[in-house]
């Protein structure tokens, strides 16, 4: 089976390529050189004149529109392949990857690229669609100004919020509409979407016959295509199911060109282990719903509000011992990027599985442990501090200094800058540096702790050691930036660290948008090397975090300035509401609607302000029945007014467009229950638990729906209740339902356990009345008359009888009599 060649591997990993090919320029971050090269000029038709013949609409035709760009480039790709032969696909893939990297550089990492993508097109298009440029030179601060002063600079950028020509605005808006998916809008001010459009045309949207030829000659294009679709997903207001399916499909196909997996590594597919996340959830595909349940007590004590301490994670990499270092590096990156995809789509179990496999391939070893030390300056005794020990499989040898963002000092009069440990063990106080890919894995594990646990102080304490370990050594620009961002998120809720968290967040924004004079900046190649292995937010998302931090500090006006510039109208409304000026927000939205009356998002926001459903209906109509938010909002409005049939209709339209929106399925289920459409309610709650299996309310509602559907569904109801009690451990109503349903199915052991839990929960308030005597009599009668052992062998019946008698005795003596 064909695998990625050496050059493809180097480019995918961001490693230098020896020759002077397009791939070498791409890895070095010289994107303008790639896009101005001879192959790129042929692929984009940059040098064509009006005498050329076109099989598509000519770019010299006044009627040429943004939708004509794709067929034009694809026809030029065909001509280039015919001219150069199959080897042309390596150039085409490199050019497509370069367009994606240029888009990521513009919107994620900086430094800002000077080349306007419209300049690549032929004929009059570059001048017609030319973008407006504003100086982006490093700014000069006033004498004596603090370089970390909050809000010190005007946001004077080329892209975000800059006024463009009418033709360029129409181009960008048309391209962003093409990037919408499942009724979800792309961010309206996304800079230079033409770069991402180029990347999709060259990597993702090739005609079938060209795509098949590309996959044979340059299979790395599949991996780059998955990255391009993930970038598109990041532009949307909410992730789209269709794009997630496309990403996983591309990764799964790319897996066929990876090196052979060593024996003992279970990786038959990269798809989610939970098939119920698909668009059409089939009840029979939910694990164990139709299986016979064992009448054994269930363990619910491990489900608690406190986050569990992560288990030791020594790498289980023995299976990889005979695999070459190059193959292990490639597998580690492939699996880690998959883990990041699942993490960004709120699928923590799949993410953790992939990151753990990546750890095995890399050979990283880490363990969370405790060490005695001091946290404050005036601490007179040592306490146990949570630390992370980590070690890479290979020694790190860096010959060159990598420019990293500035990590701000804490400068607190109580807290120490770093923990001071009692034991001078160098593995704790001065550990060795890690491989960069291993640092990415630690940050991925850190995010998994957050995704798997509630927003809790213990969760933050468990996340911080991962970040601290990564920050102990400078390294790759993007990795260090991500670690500083995570530290800021963890510190912003604490009184003594909130100042550094805010200033650090401001500094991370400024290093991209406003580099300081004389600052040492990392190059584009270094910034891009690991960006797809991290959950790094876009520039506007980062600025939004800064604005939200301002709000938490009470600096609403500064936050409002950022939200208005970024045209984040939902947040603008929230700010004006805090200031008691909702009429100003409405005036701003109506003013924007006069400029763009066909934007459904603005009509929805106007509806949110005025609470007038006609605006949501209008948003639905102007979108051509494709804007899911309009139906979600209208469905919520109808639900609040107890118009449940209308609410069901709206939410069915919404989930048809985007089935990945959990809350829509939940309210659809609740509305369906209110009008007694039990089958529809059951399917809705099945979708909810397939997205979030820890949603106890949905498991309970699912059980209710099954019970109302008839006796033949009681087994499914019991399975659902068994999951519900794990997450609603203190709900006596759920335990009562569990007790009655398990009794009706002859599951006496489960009934006894449920009754015991009910006594624990209600004895303090109800006393003896908390015991359901009818249920207790039924249990004792079934045991004493042998009904509980019908059809069992004599040995099994005797064992079960002894177990039940022991449980009943414990219930009567230790709980009820006590």
């Amino acid at each position: 089976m064909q695998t990625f060649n050496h050059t493809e591997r180097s480019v995918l990993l961001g490693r230098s390529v020896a020759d002077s090919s397009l791939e070498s320029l791409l890895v070095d971050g010289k994107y303008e050189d790639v896009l101005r090269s001879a192959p790129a000029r042929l692929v984009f038709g940059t040098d064509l004149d009006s005498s050329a013949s076109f099989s598509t609409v000519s770019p010299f035709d006044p009627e040429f529109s943004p939708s004509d760009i794709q067929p034009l480039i694809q026809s030029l790709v065909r001509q280039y392949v015919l001219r150069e032969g199959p080897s042309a696909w390596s150039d085409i893939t490199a050019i497509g990857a370069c367009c994606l990297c240029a888009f990521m550089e513009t919107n994620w990492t900086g430094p800002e690229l000077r080349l306007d993508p419209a300049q690549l097109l032929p004929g009059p298009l570059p001048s017609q669609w030319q973008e407006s440029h504003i100086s982006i030179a490093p700014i000069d601060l006033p004498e004596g100004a603090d370089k970390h002063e909050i809000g010190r600079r005007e946001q004077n950028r080329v892209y975000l919020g800059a006024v463009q020509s009418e033709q360029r605005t129409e181009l960008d808006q048309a391209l962003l509409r093409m990037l919408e998916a499942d009724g979800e809008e792309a961010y309206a001010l996304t800079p230079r979407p033409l770069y991402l459009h180029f990347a999709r045309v060259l990597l993702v949207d090739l005609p079938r016959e060209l795509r098949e030829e590309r996959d044979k000659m340059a299979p790395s294009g599949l991996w780059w295509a998955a990255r391009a679709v993930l970038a598109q997903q990041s532009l949307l207001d909410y992730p789209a199911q269709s794009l997630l399916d496309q990403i996983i499909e591309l990764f799964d196909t790319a897996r066929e060109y990876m090196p052979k997996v060593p024996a003992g590594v279970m990786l038959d597919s990269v798809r989610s282990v939970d098939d119920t996340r698909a668009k059409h959830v089939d009840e029979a595909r939910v694990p164990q719903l139709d299986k016979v349940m064992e009448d054994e007590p269930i363990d619910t004590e491990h489900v608690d509000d406190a986050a569990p301490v992560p288990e030791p994670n020594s790498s289980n990499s023995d299976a990889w011992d005979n695999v070459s270092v190059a193959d292990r590096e490639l597998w580690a990156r492939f699996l880690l990027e998959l883990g990041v995809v699942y993490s960004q789509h709120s699928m923590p179990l799949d993410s953790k599985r992939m990151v753990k496999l990546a750890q095995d391939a890399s050979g990283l070893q880490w363990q969370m442990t405790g060490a005695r030390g001091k946290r404050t300056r005036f601490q007179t005794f040592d306490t146990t501090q949570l630390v992370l020990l980590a070690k890479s499989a290979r020694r790190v040898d860096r010959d060159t200094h990598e420019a990293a963002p500035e990590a701000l000092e804490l400068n607190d009069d109580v807290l120490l800058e770093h923990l001071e440990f009692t034991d001078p063990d160098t593995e704790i106080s001065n550990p060795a540096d890690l491989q960069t890919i291993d640092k990415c894995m630690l940050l991925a594990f850190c995010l998994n702790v957050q995704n798997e646990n509630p927003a809790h102080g213990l969760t933050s304490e468990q996340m911080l050691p991962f970040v601290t370990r990564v920050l102990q050594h400078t390294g790759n620009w993007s990795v260090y930036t991500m670690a500083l961002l995570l530290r800021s998120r963890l510190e912003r809720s604490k009184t003594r660290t909130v100042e550094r968290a805010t200033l650090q967040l401001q500094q991370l924004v400024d290093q991209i948008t406003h580099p300081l004079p004389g600052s040492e900046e990392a190059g584009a190649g270094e910034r891009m090397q690991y960006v797809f292995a991290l959950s790094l937010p876009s520039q506007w998302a980062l600025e939004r975090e800064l604005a939200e931090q301002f709000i938490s500090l009470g600096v609403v006006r500064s936050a409002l300035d950022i939200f208005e510039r970024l045209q984040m109208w939902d947040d603008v409304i929230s700010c004006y509401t805090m200031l008691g000026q909702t009429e100003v927000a409405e005036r701003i939205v109506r003013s924007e609607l006069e400029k763009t009356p066909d934007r459904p998002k603005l009509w929805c926001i106007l509806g949110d302000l005025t609470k007038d459903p006609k605006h949501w209906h209008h948003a639905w109509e102007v979108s051509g029945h494709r804007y899911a938010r309009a139906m979600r909002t209208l469905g919520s409005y109808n639900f609040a007014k107890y118009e449940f049939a209308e609410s069901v209709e709206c939410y069915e339209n919404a989930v048809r467009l985007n089935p990945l929106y959990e809350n829509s399925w939940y309210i659809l289920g609740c509305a369906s229950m209110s009008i007694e459409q039990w089958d529809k309610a059951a399917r809705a709650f099945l979708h909810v638990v397939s997205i979030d299996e820890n949603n106890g309310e949905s498991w309970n509602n699912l059980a209710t729906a099954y019970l109302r559907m008839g006796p033949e569904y009681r087994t499914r109801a019991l399975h659902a209740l068994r999951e519900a009690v794990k997450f609603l451990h203190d709900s006596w109503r759920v335990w009562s339902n569990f007790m009655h349903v398990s009794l009706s199915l002859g599951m006496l052991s489960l009934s006894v356990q449920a009754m015991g839990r009910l006594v624990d929960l209600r004895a303090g308030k109800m006393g003896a009345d908390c015991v359901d005597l009818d249920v207790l009599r039924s249990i004792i009668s079934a045991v004493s008359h042998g009904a509980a052992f019908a059809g069992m062998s004599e040995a099994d019946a005797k064992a079960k009888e002894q177990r039940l008698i022991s449980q009943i005795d414990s219930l009567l003596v230790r709980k009820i009599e006590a």
Side-chain angles (χ1 to χ4, degrees):
M1 180 67 185
Q2 179 185 357
T3 61
F4 300 126
N5 61 39
H6 177 73
T7 300
E8 287 181 307
R9 292 179 179 218
S10 298
V11 175
L12 287 167
L13 297 176
R15 305 280 175 79
S16 59
V17 179
D19 57 27
S20 57
S21 62
L22 294 183
E23 290 85 354
S24 176
L25 296 173
L26 173 61
V27 171
D28 292 340
K30 298 177 181 179
Y31 306 136
E32 186 169 351
D33 292 345
V34 175
L35 296 175
R36 291 192 182 279
S37 65
R41 300 179 80 86
L42 290 172
V43 167
F44 293 115
T46 308
D47 299 325
L48 294 176
D49 55 33
S50 56
S51 63
S53 59
F54 297 92
S55 58
T56 61
V57 178
S58 170
F60 296 89
D61 190 329
E63 299 300 319
F64 189 89
S65 68
S67 61
D68 296 319
I69 295 175
Q70 178 172 334
L72 170 65
I73 293 178
Q74 288 179 348
S75 68
L76 294 171
V77 165
R78 281 192 173 92
Q79 295 176 24
Y80 186 69
V81 173
L82 288 174
R83 170 179 166 170
E84 301 294 329
S87 61
W89 284 110
S90 60
D91 289 342
I92 295 170
T93 300
I95 294 167
C98 183
C99 290
L100 173 61
C101 290
F103 179 77
M104 298 296 293
E105 180 183 2
T106 299
N107 292 281
W108 264 261
T109 66
E112 294 178 352
L113 185 64
R114 298 283 184 170
L115 179 62
D116 176 6
Q119 299 299 314
L120 304 175
L121 294 171
L125 299 180
S127 58
Q128 176 184 335
W129 287 336
Q130 184 177 9
E131 70 182 0
S132 302
H133 284 273
I134 302 172
S135 173
I136 56 173
I139 66 162
D140 294 319
L141 298 179
E143 185 177 354
D146 181 359
K147 67 177 182 177
H148 297 306
E149 178 186 348
I150 295 178
R152 70 189 184 282
R153 309 169 187 183
E154 292 296 325
Q155 298 291 336
N156 190 30
R157 299 191 60 205
V158 174
Y159 311 119
L160 286 178
V163 177
Q164 300 288 348
S165 67
E166 182 179 351
Q167 292 88 345
R168 181 56 179 245
T169 300
E170 291 176 354
L171 169 68
D172 288 349
Q173 290 178 350
L175 294 173
L176 289 173
R177 284 194 293 271
M178 295 179 196
L179 294 172
E180 294 175 2
D182 295 355
E184 302 296 334
E185 262 195 9
Y187 176 55
L189 295 186
T190 302
R192 293 177 169 173
L194 186 54
Y195 272 134
L196 184 57
H197 185 62
F198 286 159
R200 278 205 60 112
V201 170
L202 295 174
L203 298 171
V204 183
D205 298 324
L206 290 168
R208 182 176 178 179
E209 70 279 4
L210 292 180
R211 187 170 64 249
E212 290 176 350
E213 185 177 351
R214 188 276 311 273
D215 292 351
K216 294 178 182 178
M217 303 307 302
S220 62
L222 289 161
W223 196 334
W224 283 106
R227 290 171 168 179
V229 180
L230 181 60
Q232 178 186 354
Q233 183 82 290
S234 301
L235 305 183
L236 304 184
D237 290 339
Y238 196 85
Q241 178 75 58
S242 62
L243 294 186
L244 173 59
D245 293 342
Q246 191 174 19
I247 293 168
I248 301 304
E249 179 67 31
L250 287 165
F251 269 115
D252 205 28
T253 307
R255 182 180 63 91
E256 299 174 5
Y257 298 92
M258 292 287 289
K260 185 178 179 181
V261 179
V265 176
M266 300 301 295
L267 187 64
D268 296 330
S269 174
V270 301
R271 299 181 184 277
S272 169
V273 294
D274 185 1
D275 288 335
T276 60
R277 292 184 183 278
K279 291 182 181 179
H280 306 290
V281 175
D282 187 341
E283 293 167 0
R285 293 164 65 185
V286 177
Q288 298 184 343
L289 273 184
D290 287 319
K291 293 182 181 179
V292 177
M293 181 184 293
E294 294 293 332
D295 185 22
E296 297 287 348
I298 57 177
D299 176 21
T300 62
E301 298 299 329
H302 70 283
V303 181
D304 202 339
D305 289 337
V309 176
E311 68 277 6
N313 262 275
S314 298
S315 175
N316 186 22
S317 59
D318 293 344
W320 295 86
D321 288 345
N322 297 323
V323 180
S324 68
V325 172
D327 286 354
R328 293 181 67 164
E329 288 179 340
L330 191 67
W331 269 114
R333 178 67 70 88
F334 181 83
L335 293 165
L336 179 58
E337 289 192 24
L338 263 170
V340 170
V341 169
Y342 284 127
S343 177
Q344 292 181 353
H345 289 85
S346 301
M347 301 165 70
L349 295 180
D350 295 303
S351 176
K352 187 174 183 178
R353 178 173 69 101
M354 289 300 168
V355 178
K356 186 64 176 68
L357 287 170
Q359 177 194 348
D360 293 341
S362 172
L364 168 69
Q365 295 181 339
W366 67 266
Q367 183 178 12
M368 193 78 75
T369 186
R372 297 188 67 81
K374 296 182 176 67
R375 186 186 293 264
T376 64
R377 298 182 186 276
F378 309 108
Q379 192 171 334
T380 58
F381 55 91
D382 294 335
T383 57
T384 303
Q385 310 292 337
L386 195 61
V387 295
L388 184 93
L389 305 180
K391 181 181 179 181
S392 292
R394 292 178 294 111
R395 186 173 65 88
V396 178
D397 185 14
R398 287 197 176 91
D399 297 325
T400 59
H401 172 69
E402 294 176 311
E406 180 184 3
L408 303 185
E409 297 292 326
L410 186 58
N411 295 327
D412 186 72
D413 55 357
V414 175
L415 292 179
L416 292 168
E417 195 68 41
H418 305 286
L419 293 175
E420 290 186 358
F421 296 102
T422 306
D423 187 351
D425 186 354
T426 56
E427 188 178 358
I428 296 177
S429 58
N430 187 27
D433 199 1
L434 300 172
Q435 293 287 338
T436 305
I437 189 66
D438 292 339
K439 293 181 180 180
C440 295
M441 290 179 199
L442 291 182
L443 295 178
F445 279 121
C446 175
L447 288 174
N448 271 334
V449 173
Q450 181 183 47
N451 293 337
E452 290 184 320
N453 298 291
H456 194 287
L458 290 179
T459 302
S460 298
E461 289 299 321
Q462 290 174 41
M463 294 173 65
L464 190 57
F466 290 95
V467 177
T468 302
R469 182 65 179 88
V470 173
L471 291 175
Q472 284 179 308
H473 299 272
T474 59
N476 177 268
W477 183 93
S478 295
V479 177
Y480 205 72
T481 295
M482 186 68 203
L484 290 174
L485 175 60
L486 287 176
R487 188 182 70 177
S488 297
R489 291 173 179 173
L490 295 173
E491 290 185 342
R492 62 189 178 191
S493 60
K494 300 177 182 178
T495 305
R496 292 201 169 272
T497 56
V498 65
E499 181 180 1
R500 178 171 72 171
T502 307
L503 292 172
Q504 187 73 72
L505 198 53
Q506 175 84 60
Q507 190 269 338
L508 294 177
V509 171
D510 290 341
Q511 71 173 348
I512 300 173
T513 60
H514 290 82
L516 290 167
S519 60
E520 186 177 358
E521 295 293 323
E526 181 191 337
R527 298 186 185 208
M528 201 61 57
Q529 186 175 5
Y530 291 94
V531 72
F532 298 106
L534 300 164
S535 297
L536 200 65
S538 61
Q539 292 182 23
W540 60 85
L542 194 59
E543 290 194 60
R544 183 178 191 170
E545 282 196 47
L546 178 62
E548 290 171 346
Q549 180 64 10
F550 286 167
I551 290 177
S552 69
L553 296 174
V555 193
V556 180
R557 282 291 181 184
S558 295
L560 182 58
D561 292 341
I562 296 176
F563 288 139
E564 287 185 338
R565 175 174 50 81
L566 298 178
Q567 296 186 16
M568 295 179 174
W569 303 119
D570 290 312
D571 299 296
V572 168
I573 291 172
S574 298
C575 288
Y576 276 117
T577 301
M578 293 179 192
L579 297 171
Q581 301 177 17
T582 54
E583 70 283 353
V584 178
E586 182 177 347
R587 187 166 63 248
I588 291 174
V589 173
R590 290 188 182 276
S591 174
E592 291 297 318
L593 277 171
E594 291 178 2
K595 302 174 188 176
T596 53
D598 59 343
R599 277 197 65 193
K601 184 174 183 178
L602 290 176
W603 285 108
C604 277
I605 293 173
L606 183 60
D608 295 340
L609 277 168
T610 62
K611 305 302 179 185
D612 189 342
K614 71 179 182 182
H615 297 309
W616 298 315
H617 282 291
H618 189 70
W620 180 243
E621 295 300 326
V622 298
S623 70
H625 298 181
R626 292 291 306 165
Y627 191 53
R629 173 177 169 173
M631 286 292 101
R632 287 197 293 263
T633 311
L634 191 58
S636 177
Y637 174 82
N638 290 329
F639 187 85
K641 293 177 69 66
Y642 302 101
E643 297 172 352
F644 300 118
E646 292 81 359
S647 179
V648 167
E649 181 181 356
C650 291
Y651 276 111
E652 284 182 327
N653 286 328
V655 298
R656 174 177 52 82
L657 290 170
N658 189 2
L660 205 57
Y661 203 95
E662 175 187 344
N663 195 51
S664 295
W665 287 109
Y666 184 82
I667 302 180
L668 172 59
C670 293
S672 299
M673 290 177 68
S674 299
I675 56 176
E676 300 184 358
Q677 293 185 0
W678 306 113
D679 180 71
K680 190 174 293 184
R683 292 184 63 81
F685 289 121
L686 275 170
H687 271 279
V688 177
V689 297
S690 75
I691 297 172
D692 179 12
E693 64 176 16
N694 298 336
N695 193 319
E697 290 290 348
S698 294
W699 282 114
N700 186 49
N701 291 342
L702 176 61
T704 301
Y706 279 143
L707 289 173
R708 296 299 186 95
M709 290 168 66
E712 64 272 22
Y713 288 92
R714 281 186 301 179
T715 301
R716 293 188 177 191
L718 183 60
H719 279 284
L721 285 169
R722 185 170 184 165
E723 295 298 319
V725 296
K726 294 179 183 178
F727 308 106
L728 301 175
H729 191 58
D730 296 328
S731 173
W732 68 268
R733 290 184 174 85
V734 178
W735 280 107
S736 179
N737 290 339
F738 186 55
M739 178 180 68
H740 285 93
V741 174
S742 57
L743 180 63
S744 69
L745 292 171
M747 303 290 184
L748 301 186
S749 184
L750 295 176
S751 300
V752 173
Q753 181 187 15
M755 179 173 286
R757 182 59 183 159
L758 280 170
V759 172
D760 291 340
L761 293 172
R762 310 202 72 195
K765 291 183 178 180
M766 299 183 61
D769 292 338
C770 69
V771 180
D772 191 320
L773 296 178
D774 292 335
V775 172
L776 185 58
R777 291 191 191 99
S778 298
I779 294 173
I780 295 175
S781 175
V783 174
S784 59
H785 292 89
F789 320 117
M792 300 178 66
S793 67
E794 182 177 352
D796 291 342
K798 187 173 182 178
K800 184 173 183 179
E801 180 181 13
Q802 291 177 345
R803 185 173 66 248
L804 284 171
I805 290 175
S806 175
Q807 280 188 269
I808 295 172
D809 180 68
S810 177
L811 172 66
L812 293 173
V813 176
R814 298 183 185 179
K815 292 183 180 289
I816 295 178
E817 289 187 5

